[in-house]
Amino acid sequence: MDIYNYIDGEFTLPISGNMLDNLNPATGQIIARIPDSNNDDVATAAEAAKLALPSWRGLTKGERINWLNKIAQALEERSEDIAKTESMDTGKPIALARRVDAARSISNFRFFAKHAEQLTENKFTMADATNYVIRKPVGVVGLITPWNLPLYLLSWKVAPALVMGNTIVAKPSEMTPMTANLLAKTLDDLDFPKGVVNIVHGLGPSTGQAILEHPEISAISFTGGTETGKIVAKTAGPMFKKLSLELGGKNATIILDDADLETAATGAAKAAFTNSGQVCLCGSRVLIDAKIYDAFVPKFIDAVAAMKVGNPDDESTDIGSVISQQHMEKVLSYIELAKQEGGTIAHGGQRIIPNHASLQNGSFISPTVIENLSISSRCATEEIFGPVVTLHKFDSDLAAIEMTNSTQYGLAGSIWTSDTARGKQLAKQIDSGILWVNTWLHRDLRTPFGGVKNSGVGREGGDWSLNFFSELSNICVKDD
Ligand code: NAD
């Protein structure tokens, strides 16, 4: 299957004609070819987006909300196709792709349609004048997204950008282009206005970089790794583009001495290994009060051992493959490093070749639990972004806070306790954008989402997304 760019409402080959292979990481098979787009393709997309801007921003907010609802409805009609495609492109279990990827991609459009309805204009009255704060679109916006939650994260940006009247040049990850293509097909089937959403496929340093550098693209919303985030900031910052950076994490799961150990063990296992540990919010370090360490760890390992690894097509699979063979090698090299750093493997620790003919070249890793590593070791501080978790003991709540705050990251974390007030108090002292108490990945889309330190700049979600994708102007009118 060949995937084309979607520019100005047309599916087009890249100008160079060059294509890249796209693989299913569970089978190692090539499943599609995608455009290897360059500056010229991005320039064509940016021009289309620029030309489409006046009419799109000229629609009423209500008309744009109607479009979002139509897109949600059309995506819902192909939700099984989205789930199957996402599972094939990423190697994630079909049940997870249905429950999370397909469901959330649809709800992102519905949510922002509804959330935009409640936006009101601020008005500030003076003795002799009135200030009207109005919103305008930013203009043409560049959206760059990663491979772990492909359509989920793309739609999380596309929906608020559209509802605020912007036009779009988007680049999905070169490793997971297929559901962005489904979105393009959905828009095309709906006769969505041409040029409003343009999807350009290709590699980060060429296609992505061209989006960052294009002078007509006024804002960049980027989700991806911290190192790439630095390049994004370095390129777009001096051009004074509006920037949103959602970057990496090394999140802690904290088990306090009064936690319900069964609930905490199940919760910590889910936080560590959902999507093979490839969610930026995954809890890849579990910090456990020393008083309950010996009681907690066997329960945790039991919960991990109960997770079924293997065929993504099997409805009962909990953990599929990681995103690529290269990524598998990286994750396995961290497991080797952990041993060199003095860690002991309490569970897993190796590649798995499932007992299924088509999966012999797949990139599967058993969920891996590592004990006895220093909290400052590389494996406990660097983002591995795979099914690997390290366990650490702490002696006091203060020590837990210090350990949690000791990395360069500050994205998310969870605290498990039977005293929610204590959990909330501790959460306030952690340098992170998102903290959960006795739950994980429990999302209300109205809340702010984003990280501190090297986990990012800015917030997405609810009003924060609508603010990012709009420019505020104050009009001060002197009374007659
Ligand atoms: P990545 O940084 O390698 O790639 C992300 C996107 O950026 C891809 O589309 C890629 O092609 C593009 N890109 C790469 N180089 C570029 C350049 N020079 N200019 C412009 N674009 C470029 O990240 P990844 O490996 O795809 O995703 C995994 C990372 O994403 C992890 O670090 C994870 O924590 C992070 N992530 C963060 C969040 C969040 O909300 N904070 C969510 C999901 C993933």
Side-chain angles (χ1 to χ4, degrees):
M1 175 185 175
D2 276 354
I3 285 176
Y4 295 150
N5 288 330
Y6 185 62
I7 299 176
D8 204 14
E10 304 292 333
F11 289 94
T12 53
L13 281 167
I15 292 165
S16 70
N18 295 338
M19 302 291 276
L20 303 162
D21 288 339
N22 175 42
L23 276 69
N24 174 342
T27 64
Q29 300 290 310
I30 296 172
I31 48 173
R33 296 190 321 150
I34 67 161
D36 180 8
S37 306
N38 62 23
N39 285 355
D40 296 334
D41 301 297
V42 169
T44 312
E47 182 64 16
K50 186 181 167 192
L51 290 175
L53 186 61
S55 57
W56 181 250
R57 67 181 288 173
L59 296 182
T60 63
K61 187 176 77 178
E63 287 169 322
R64 293 196 297 268
I65 286 172
N66 285 343
W67 271 116
L68 261 63
N69 283 323
K70 275 191 204 168
I71 297 169
Q73 181 60 34
L75 289 176
E76 190 152 51
E77 282 159 19
R78 57 202 323 168
S79 74
E80 185 59 14
D81 194 11
I82 294 171
K84 284 192 171 141
T85 306
E86 208 69 289
S87 172
M88 181 171 65
D89 213 7
T90 59
K92 71 177 67 187
I94 182 67
L96 181 71
R98 277 193 195 112
R99 191 174 69 244
V100 175
D101 297 77
R104 178 64 190 275
S105 302
I106 297 158
S107 65
N108 281 340
F109 282 98
R110 290 234 163 87
F111 167 74
F112 279 109
K114 187 154 180 270
H115 198 71
E117 266 174 14
Q118 49 81 46
L119 264 189
T120 48
E121 276 186 9
N122 274 322
K123 194 163 92 172
F124 299 97
T125 313
M126 303 166 77
D128 56 352
T130 307
N131 295 278
Y132 301 89
V133 182
I134 59 154
R135 282 170 188 274
K136 296 175 186 166
V138 184
V140 179
V141 296
L143 313 181
I144 301 179
T145 46
W147 47 258
N148 62 329
L149 294 159
L151 188 58
Y152 169 133
L153 288 173
L154 181 61
S155 54
W156 181 235
K157 298 179 189 299
V158 168
L162 286 182
V163 84
M164 298 316 294
N166 303 278
T167 57
I168 292 170
V169 178
K171 191 199 92 63
S173 169
E174 58 277 23
M175 284 193 271
T176 54
M178 295 189 73
T179 49
N181 190 48
L182 278 185
L183 175 63
K185 284 186 179 166
T186 303
L187 297 175
D188 205 56
D189 290 350
L190 287 171
D191 282 330
F192 189 72
K194 290 180 190 305
V196 174
V197 176
N198 303 277
I199 298 178
V200 189
H201 296 276
L203 300 171
S206 46
T207 318
Q209 190 71 28
I211 292 175
L212 302 181
E213 289 173 4
H214 198 285
E216 297 290 350
I217 297 179
S218 313
I220 302 288
S221 177
F222 171 83
T223 300
T226 295
E227 287 310 309
T228 318
K230 286 182 190 168
I231 299 174
V232 175
K234 200 170 153 191
T235 312
M239 297 175 81
F240 304 113
K241 296 188 183 211
K242 216 172 170 185
L243 263 187
S244 169
L245 299 172
E246 301 288 344
L247 310 177
K250 187 74 181 177
N251 313 300
T253 301
I254 303 172
I255 319 292
L256 298 184
D257 55 357
D258 62 356
D260 176 302
L261 295 190
E262 296 287 346
T263 312
T266 317
K270 184 177 159 205
F273 297 113
T274 295
N275 205 31
S276 297
Q278 301 170 130
V279 179
C280 55
L281 307 165
C282 273
S284 52
R285 299 180 294 156
V286 185
L287 314 186
I288 308 149
D289 191 301
K291 293 192 276 305
I292 51 149
Y293 188 90
D294 291 340
F296 173 80
V297 172
K299 290 186 194 302
F300 178 66
I301 295 202
D302 283 351
V304 176
M307 293 178 152
K308 192 171 157 195
V309 188
N311 191 352
D313 296 342
D314 183 337
E315 302 283 339
S316 62
T317 295
D318 298 301
I319 301 181
S321 76
V322 295
I323 190 63
S324 66
Q325 180 147 11
Q326 193 189 11
H327 192 55
M328 176 179 71
E329 302 297 346
K330 178 187 149 189
V331 174
L332 291 173
S333 77
Y334 267 105
I335 295 172
E336 284 312 305
L337 174 67
K339 293 178 197 162
Q340 288 162 25
E341 289 186 306
T344 45
I345 309 296
H347 184 80
Q350 72 281 319
R351 178 180 183 184
I352 286 184
I353 302 192
N355 188 17
H356 193 284
S358 67
L359 306 177
Q360 299 306 295
N361 294 320
S363 301
F364 295 84
I365 304 174
S366 59
T368 298
V369 181
I370 305 173
E371 289 186 278
N372 299 320
L373 276 177
S374 153
I375 193 72
S376 59
S377 62
R378 281 186 57 201
C379 289
T381 52
E382 295 178 13
E383 187 186 44
I384 300 174
F385 215 54
V388 178
V389 70
T390 60
L391 307 188
H392 309 271
K393 281 181 201 169
F394 63 82
D395 291 321
S396 65
D397 288 8
L398 187 61
I401 294 162
E402 280 171 6
M403 287 162 85
T404 304
N405 289 341
S406 67
T407 73
Q408 57 165 314
Y409 296 108
L411 186 55
S414 66
I415 298 163
W416 299 80
T417 172
S418 55
D419 179 348
T420 49
R422 179 182 172 203
K424 196 172 157 204
Q425 193 51 34
L426 200 138
K428 285 183 183 167
Q429 297 169 75
I430 291 175
D431 303 331
S432 261
I434 307 144
L435 271 310
W436 286 283
V437 178
N438 294 332
T439 184
W440 178 77
L441 204 59
H442 205 117
R443 293 277 295 121
D444 178 329
L445 304 185
R446 294 169 300 178
T447 60
F449 178 98
V452 301
K453 301 197 287 188
N454 288 7
S455 289
V457 179
R459 294 290 178 274
E460 294 185 334
D463 290 350
W464 292 270
S465 291
L466 300 184
N467 285 340
F468 178 78
F469 288 113
S470 50
E471 291 288 6
L472 295 174
S473 291
N474 184 53
I475 302 174
C476 179
V477 181
K478 177 90 170 60
D479 291 342
D480 294 332

